């Protein structure tokens, strides 16, 4: 991490720095001068093999150059853990968090690579694959499995096109683990890090930060905080911070929905915001459109909006709520509508609904609101206004 780098800067190894800088320069610059696609793709392999040979010839391990070191050969043994209910329940919260972070991280990696290659992406299939991979890891004494950004990018840069690349990589790893682990013992860690760094660097772009900030300050802030968390803390913590911020912003947006008083655009059957368009309104009708699902988070906001409008116009005798943007009404919002219907009835004001979606209507029919509604439910908002005030037809 950055803190460890600052703390141990005096322990910097000159030979390690030389190896890493040389590897980065070769990996970045050499492909620009190589015209063969095949040669350009195997440059990382050439760098790795060359570094192993150089370390072995000059015995650089004795000069403070850190290498991979001893790698145990062979394959892991199958081991089926015994079931312990107490331990399972104790580990369940942590396991759930690991699973969520692994899925989010793996899906983000898959989306980044799929977008660049214009491949199809099935998030459900990704989750199923992660599940089976973790089941396999659990019976082999392995760690929790998730997608690897570094390995994915290296695989992509090598020219991988289909899932068969993963199969071939796995078979190659099996052969290496069985017979060739000794070859990689002298591989400098700096070269390995340089290979991964150069591959990942291609995925880093500044433009999305700027575009997101211009489009939405809140989303831009969440992206920036997530990036800083991943960069200066670690991936898991950064993702948790990002997920938390996104959830908080979602609640904030739902609790502050856009609500508009709407009127008829002359010569059409379309209704738009009275503050944005030159529209026709009827003094006895107040038409509202809420651009959000109705829930306990925003039900009181809509009610307050209606009360404010009624207080400013004593002529209103009909309130129409345009439900074209509402896909769900939860119990708290339903109770609010029932209360609003009764309170308006005491003021001799009828409550109407228009453009209610079929799934929402199916649920409303199971409630008391449909039977007790003082007004009507209309197929379109134009039909509602024209039925209530036929004199105003144009």
């Amino acid at each position: 991490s950055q803190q460890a780098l600052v703390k141990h800067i005096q322990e910097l190894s000159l030979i390690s720095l030389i190896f890493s800088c040389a590897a980065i320069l070769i990996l970045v610059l050499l492909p620009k001068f190589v015209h063969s696609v095949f040669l350009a793709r195997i440059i990382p392999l050439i760098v790795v093999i060359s570094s192993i040979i150089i370390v072995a010839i000059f015995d650089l391990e004795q000069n403070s150059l850190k290498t991979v070191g001893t790698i145990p050969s062979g394959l892991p043994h199958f081991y089926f853990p015994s079931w312990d209910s107490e331990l399972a329940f104790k580990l369940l919260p942590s396991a759930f968090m690991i699973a969520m972070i692994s899925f989010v991280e793996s899906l983000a990696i898959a989306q980044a690579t799929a977008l660049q290659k214009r491949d199809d992406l099935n998030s459900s299939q990704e989750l199923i694959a992660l599940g089976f991979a973790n089941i396999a890891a659990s019976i082999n004494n392995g760690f929790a499995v998730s997608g690897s950004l570094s390995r994915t990018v290296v695989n992509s840069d090598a020219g991988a096109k289909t899932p068969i690349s993963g199969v071939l990589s796995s078979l190659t790893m099996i052969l290496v683990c069985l017979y060739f682990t000794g070859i990689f013992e002298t591989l400098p860690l700096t070269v390995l890090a340089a290979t991964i760094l150069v591959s990942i660097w291609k995925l880093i772009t500044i433009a999305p930060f700027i575009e997101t900030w211009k489009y939405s300050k809140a989303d831009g802030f969440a992206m920036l905080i997530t990036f800083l968390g991943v960069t200066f803390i670690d991936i898991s913590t950064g993702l948790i911070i990002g997920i938390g911020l996104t959830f908080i912003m979602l609640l904030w947006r739902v609790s502050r929905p856009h609500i508009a008083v709407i009127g008829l655009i002359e010569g059409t059957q379309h209704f738009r915001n009275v503050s944005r368009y030159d529209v026709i309104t009827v003094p006895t009708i107040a038409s509202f459109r809420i651009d959000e699902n109705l829930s306990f988070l925003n039900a009181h906001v809509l009610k307050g909006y209606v009360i404010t409008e009624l207080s400013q116009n004593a002529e209103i005798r009909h309130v129409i709520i345009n439900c074209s943007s509402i896909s769900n009404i939860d119990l708290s919002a339903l109770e609010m509508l029932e209360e609003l219907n009764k309170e308006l009835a005491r003021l001799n004001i009828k409550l109407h609904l228009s453009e209610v979606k079929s799934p929402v209507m199916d649920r409303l029919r199971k409630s008391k609101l449909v039977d007790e509604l003082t007004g009507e439910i209309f197929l379109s908002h134009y039909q509602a206004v024209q039925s209530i005030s036929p004199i105003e037809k144009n």
Side-chain angles (χ1 to χ4, degrees), residues 19-276:
F19 258 83
S20 60
C21 291
I24 291 173
L25 289 174
I26 293 173
L27 291 170
V28 172
L29 299 178
L30 190 57
K32 297 180 180 180
F33 301 98
V34 176
H35 300 292
S36 171
V37 176
F38 174 75
L39 288 177
R41 287 175 176 172
I42 65 171
I43 285 176
L45 179 61
I46 295 174
V47 170
V48 168
I49 295 175
S50 301
S51 64
I52 292 174
I53 294 173
I54 292 172
V55 171
I57 292 177
F58 296 98
D59 196 20
L60 296 179
E61 285 184 276
Q62 307 298 324
N63 295 284
S64 303
L65 181 64
K66 297 290 184 180
T67 59
V68 172
T70 303
I71 304 175
S73 60
L75 299 176
H77 299 287
F78 288 102
Y79 172 76
F80 292 89
S82 57
W83 177 256
D84 187 336
S85 301
E86 183 178 351
L87 180 61
F89 281 108
K90 185 177 180 180
L91 294 176
L92 190 59
S94 299
F96 176 78
M97 184 60 67
I98 291 173
M100 289 299 297
I101 293 175
S102 297
F103 175 62
V104 172
E105 183 180 354
S106 300
L107 185 60
I109 296 167
Q111 287 176 335
T113 53
L115 183 61
Q116 287 188 352
K117 292 183 172 293
R118 296 190 176 184
D119 290 336
D120 186 27
L121 176 63
N122 187 333
S123 56
S124 298
Q125 196 66 32
E126 293 288 327
L127 185 58
I128 293 172
L130 278 176
F132 277 109
N134 277 284
I135 291 174
S138 67
I139 61 177
N140 285 279
N141 292 322
F143 288 102
V145 177
S146 67
S148 169
L149 177 61
S150 57
R151 287 190 291 272
T152 300
V153 176
V154 170
N155 195 37
S156 177
D157 285 348
K161 299 291 184 182
T162 67
I164 196 66
S165 63
V167 175
L168 294 176
S169 297
S170 300
L171 293 176
T172 303
M173 286 297 297
I174 291 174
L175 291 175
V176 170
C177 288
L178 289 174
Y179 306 109
F180 304 106
T181 55
I183 296 177
F184 296 94
E185 291 181 0
T186 56
L187 171 62
L189 291 177
T190 54
V191 173
L192 185 61
T195 304
I196 296 172
L197 179 63
V198 171
S199 299
I200 292 178
W201 184 256
K202 299 175 183 178
L203 292 179
I204 301 176
T205 54
I206 304 300
F209 281 97
I210 301 173
E211 293 172 0
T212 303
W213 183 263
K214 289 180 180 179
Y215 179 76
S216 170
K217 296 294 189 294
D219 289 339
F221 177 75
M223 179 183 284
L224 177 61
I225 295 300
T226 304
F227 172 77
L228 294 176
V230 170
T231 304
F232 293 100
I233 305 176
D234 57 62
I235 293 178
S236 300
T237 305
L239 286 175
I240 292 175
I241 294 173
I243 293 170
L245 276 176
T246 303
F247 182 70
I248 291 172
M249 287 193 300
L250 176 63
L251 294 179
W252 181 76
R253 286 168 178 164
V254 172
S255 65
R256 296 167 58 89
H258 176 260
I259 301 175
V261 177
I262 56 178
L264 178 66
I265 295 180
E266 187 175 5
T268 72
Q269 295 184 10
H270 300 290
F271 288 78
R272 293 293 184 268
N273 193 334
V274 297
S275 63
R276 290 175 174 263

